[in-house]
Amino acid sequence: MKMDPADLRRVNVFKDAPEEDLKLFVEKGIVRSIEEGEFFFFQGDPAAYFYVLIEGRAKLLQTSATGQQVNLRTITEWQMFGALGAVRENATYPATAQALEPSTALAIESSFLKEMMQNRPYLNINLMQLMTSYIMEMQERYRELATERVERRIALTILRLAAQIGKRTEGDGMTVELPLTRQDVAEASGTTMFTVSRVLADWERRGLVAAGRERVVIRNPHGLVQISEGLDQ
Amino acid sequence: MKMDPADLRRVNVFKDAPEEDLKLFVEKGIVRSIEEGEFFFFQGDPAAYFYVLIEGRAKLLQTSATGQQVNLRTITEWQMFGALGAVRENATYPATAQALEPSTALAIESSFLKEMMQNRPYLNINLMQLMTSYIMEMQERYRELATERVERRIALTILRLAAQIGKRTEGDGMTVELPLTRQDVAEASGTTMFTVSRVLADWERRGLVAAGRERVVIRNPHGLVQISEGLDQ
DNA sequence: CGAACAATTGATCCTCATCAAACCTTGTGG
DNA sequence: CCACAAGGTTTGATGAGGATCAATTGTTCG
């Protein structure tokens, strides 16, 4: 597969990179395609590469000692992931990256990013901003998990996922479509697929969403926002 | 209050800073002392300053819409906090910082840190490493909250707090003392003070801890680790 | 000593997880 | 094109883990 370096500008961290830097990254990169359900890397692997997702969608997850999974983040095209390894020495990935669809990513050696960062302030700044947004999002989600009831957490999760990986569907009104199983949603909101199923069924009755197999369509975003803020009932 | 610039080396981010940089930071800084229970800043305030805690202990917390609190992090001497504002434009603090004891901190303008970072790679690297460790810790805690039972969460919380802010007490064996209320522990582990009280009472019966008013002494760290890993029973 | 606040303890209840079974949907191979 | 398998989803019944509430009992400090 060929890659146009200019495409890399769509990656937030590279948004203001000079052309020649982009070329270097592309030259250094290896394009890797994997099937749905396969893995880019596992939690605990040496973090030798960071990735830029070119096509498809993926999720970052952690597994507990008992085998339960938690979804930390969903990744969509032109997002960078697995980059924490470029910061620490001898780092291992703190999470596992699994494809939700057939996906393609550009893999670049972490050490090369580290090298590039040494004399390119824009890389430092952009990467720090990205890290800041992670920290803020994780803090928020942590608070939600600690203080909110399931229904609100699921609403918040769906809205967040819609903003991050949702695809606008034309047709009846403004709808956002998410190619996710109940299990995926459960792992992203800290509950079980059973509860997600019940909540979605209830929302469907109320006309807020349309739920299908591995699919959630948001029909009434405003209604979901109300639930997420506890303004309904 | 006078400050020796060299003391700032105890701050992780400044560990390898040249003497003259430390002097600049100290000159630019304002020393602020507050009483127990008072605040360095509130969630939502414009993040004009970042802080270095010189004396005392503090906690970073978030408040939910319903007024419930969550403890994100406890801060001890020579830790930096409130620094995310130096990365984003027009940032506001994503959390509130409250003193757990009478505390003193050095407050320095975020814009000054930002300025210094522009041509001091060590600041970028160190700050990124700090941010990386936050992200990893928050991801871990998020997973714990989503998958672990309360008792294990409380054990993990106590052990983490011990490592972060615990003070070694001599006397009967190796013990670690934490000046925290049940409420504090509850807010750090995502439960209620009632449950924390019951769990600590149980542990005390089993000789693992000694619990007093605003105080938890760990008598048997190994036992707590076993509980945190589910190896007991 | 008394006020203020932290901690305990018991009783109760509710939200959700768990388990089991059946039901759909999609893709595949004959 | 149908039948079947595989895996996602739904639904009900049940119960447990903690939250909540109320009342009491420490503890500390002015």
Side-chain angles (χ1 to χ4, degrees):
Chain A
M1 175 167 178
K2 275 255 210 60
M3 261 211 64
D4 180 0
D7 278 345
L8 270 191
R9 283 248 170 64
R10 302 172 68 178
V11 180
N12 216 309
V13 172
F14 297 137
K15 63 176 185 288
D16 44 13
E19 188 77 22
E20 59 262 33
D21 284 6
L22 297 179
K23 270 196 196 131
L24 288 175
F25 278 116
V26 169
E27 277 164 22
K28 268 280 183 179
I30 303 160
V31 174
R32 251 190 88 190
S33 290
I34 65 175
E35 292 306 308
E36 175 179 340
E38 296 186 335
F39 301 87
F40 284 110
F41 52 76
F42 290 90
Q43 183 176 346
D45 285 353
Y49 294 86
F50 74 93
Y51 292 78
V52 170
L53 194 65
I54 297 171
E55 202 168 4
R57 312 197 212 196
K59 63 179 177 184
L60 280 184
L61 58 94
Q62 271 197 1
T63 310
S64 75
T66 60
Q68 293 174 86
Q69 289 190 358
V70 175
N71 287 2
L72 297 172
R73 196 152 60 88
T74 29
I75 293 148
T76 184
E77 288 164 16
W78 305 111
Q79 284 193 324
M80 181 184 272
F81 60 105
L84 294 195
V87 176
R88 320 207 106 200
E89 298 296 332
N90 304 320
T92 58
Y93 295 112
T96 297
Q98 183 177 25
L100 291 170
E101 313 173 350
S103 297
T104 303
L106 184 70
I108 304 173
E109 281 180 41
S110 305
S111 57
F112 183 64
L113 176 58
K114 193 187 266 179
E115 194 188 316
M116 294 286 279
M117 282 197 298
Q118 277 170 9
N119 51 357
R120 283 169 182 80
Y122 76 89
L123 277 179
N124 287 285
I125 293 170
N126 293 348
L127 196 53
M128 274 199 224
Q129 289 188 353
L130 186 63
M131 288 169 70
T132 304
S133 66
Y134 287 171
I135 293 173
M136 288 171 55
E137 182 183 329
M138 283 312 293
Q139 287 179 347
E140 237 174 70
R141 287 180 59 185
Y142 182 82
R143 176 180 51 71
E144 287 165 11
L145 195 51
T147 64
E148 307 291 359
R149 294 263 123 92
V150 260
E151 188 181 17
R152 287 172 70 172
R153 292 207 315 267
I154 295 174
L156 288 159
T157 301
I158 299 256
L159 289 170
R160 192 150 24 220
L161 288 168
Q164 290 175 349
I165 63 164
K167 285 183 178 159
R168 284 253 138 61
T169 349
E170 303 309 324
D172 33 25
M174 197 187 66
T175 60
V176 181
E177 196 167 335
L178 299 169
L180 298 168
T181 65
R182 305 287 175 274
Q183 185 68 31
D184 285 326
V185 176
E187 286 170 5
S189 50
T191 178
T192 62
M193 48 172 295
F194 308 103
T195 299
V196 172
S197 174
R198 281 180 240 268
V199 169
L200 287 181
D202 181 43
W203 288 352
E204 184 143 31
R205 253 170 261 128
R206 293 156 63 185
L208 296 168
V209 302
R213 187 190 166 96
E214 304 190 38
R215 209 174 59 104
V216 180
V217 179
I218 302 176
R219 290 242 119 84
N220 179 357
H222 186 61
L224 275 195
V225 171
Q226 284 198 319
I227 289 175
S228 78
E229 293 174 347
L231 300 174
D232 61 326
Q233 296 139 29
Chain B
M1 176 165 176
K2 275 255 208 65
M3 262 211 62
D4 180 0
D7 278 344
L8 269 191
R9 284 248 169 66
R10 302 172 68 177
V11 180
N12 215 309
V13 172
F14 297 136
K15 62 176 187 289
D16 43 13
E19 187 77 22
E20 59 261 34
D21 285 6
L22 297 179
K23 269 197 196 131
L24 287 175
F25 278 115
V26 169
E27 277 163 23
K28 268 281 184 177
I30 303 160
V31 174
R32 253 190 86 190
S33 290
I34 65 176
E35 292 306 307
E36 175 178 338
E38 295 187 335
F39 301 87
F40 283 112
F41 53 77
F42 290 90
Q43 182 175 349
D45 286 353
Y49 295 84
F50 75 92
Y51 291 79
V52 170
L53 195 65
I54 298 171
E55 202 168 6
R57 312 197 211 195
K59 62 178 177 184
L60 279 185
L61 57 95
Q62 272 197 2
T63 310
S64 75
T66 60
Q68 292 173 86
Q69 288 190 358
V70 176
N71 287 2
L72 298 172
R73 194 154 60 88
T74 27
I75 294 149
T76 185
E77 288 163 17
W78 305 110
Q79 284 195 322
M80 181 184 271
F81 60 106
L84 294 195
V87 176
R88 319 208 108 200
E89 299 294 333
N90 304 319
T92 57
Y93 295 113
T96 297
Q98 184 177 24
L100 290 169
E101 313 173 350
S103 297
T104 303
L106 185 70
I108 304 173
E109 281 180 41
S110 306
S111 56
F112 183 64
L113 176 58
K114 193 186 268 179
E115 195 188 315
M116 294 287 278
M117 281 197 300
Q118 277 169 9
N119 50 359
R120 284 168 181 79
Y122 76 89
L123 277 180
N124 287 286
I125 293 170
N126 293 349
L127 197 52
M128 274 199 228
Q129 289 188 351
L130 186 63
M131 288 168 72
T132 303
S133 65
Y134 286 172
I135 293 173
M136 288 171 54
E137 182 183 330
M138 284 310 295
Q139 287 179 348
E140 236 176 73
R141 287 180 59 185
Y142 182 82
R143 177 180 52 70
E144 287 166 10
L145 196 51
T147 64
E148 307 292 358
R149 295 262 124 94
V150 260
E151 187 181 17
R152 286 172 70 170
R153 293 209 312 269
I154 295 174
L156 287 159
T157 301
I158 299 255
L159 289 170
R160 189 145 33 215
L161 287 168
Q164 289 175 348
I165 63 164
K167 283 181 177 160
R168 284 254 138 61
T169 348
E170 305 307 326
D172 34 25
M174 198 188 65
T175 60
V176 181
E177 194 166 337
L178 299 168
L180 297 169
T181 65
R182 305 289 176 273
Q183 184 67 31
D184 286 325
V185 177
E187 287 170 4
S189 52
T191 179
T192 61
M193 48 172 294
F194 307 103
T195 299
V196 171
S197 174
R198 281 181 241 269
V199 169
L200 287 182
D202 181 42
W203 289 352
E204 184 144 34
R205 251 171 262 129
R206 292 157 63 186
L208 296 168
V209 303
R213 186 189 166 96
E214 304 190 37
R215 209 174 60 103
V216 179
V217 180
I218 302 176
R219 290 243 118 85
N220 179 356
H222 186 62
L224 276 195
V225 171
Q226 283 198 319
I227 289 175
S228 77
E229 292 174 347
L231 299 175
D232 60 327
Q233 294 138 35

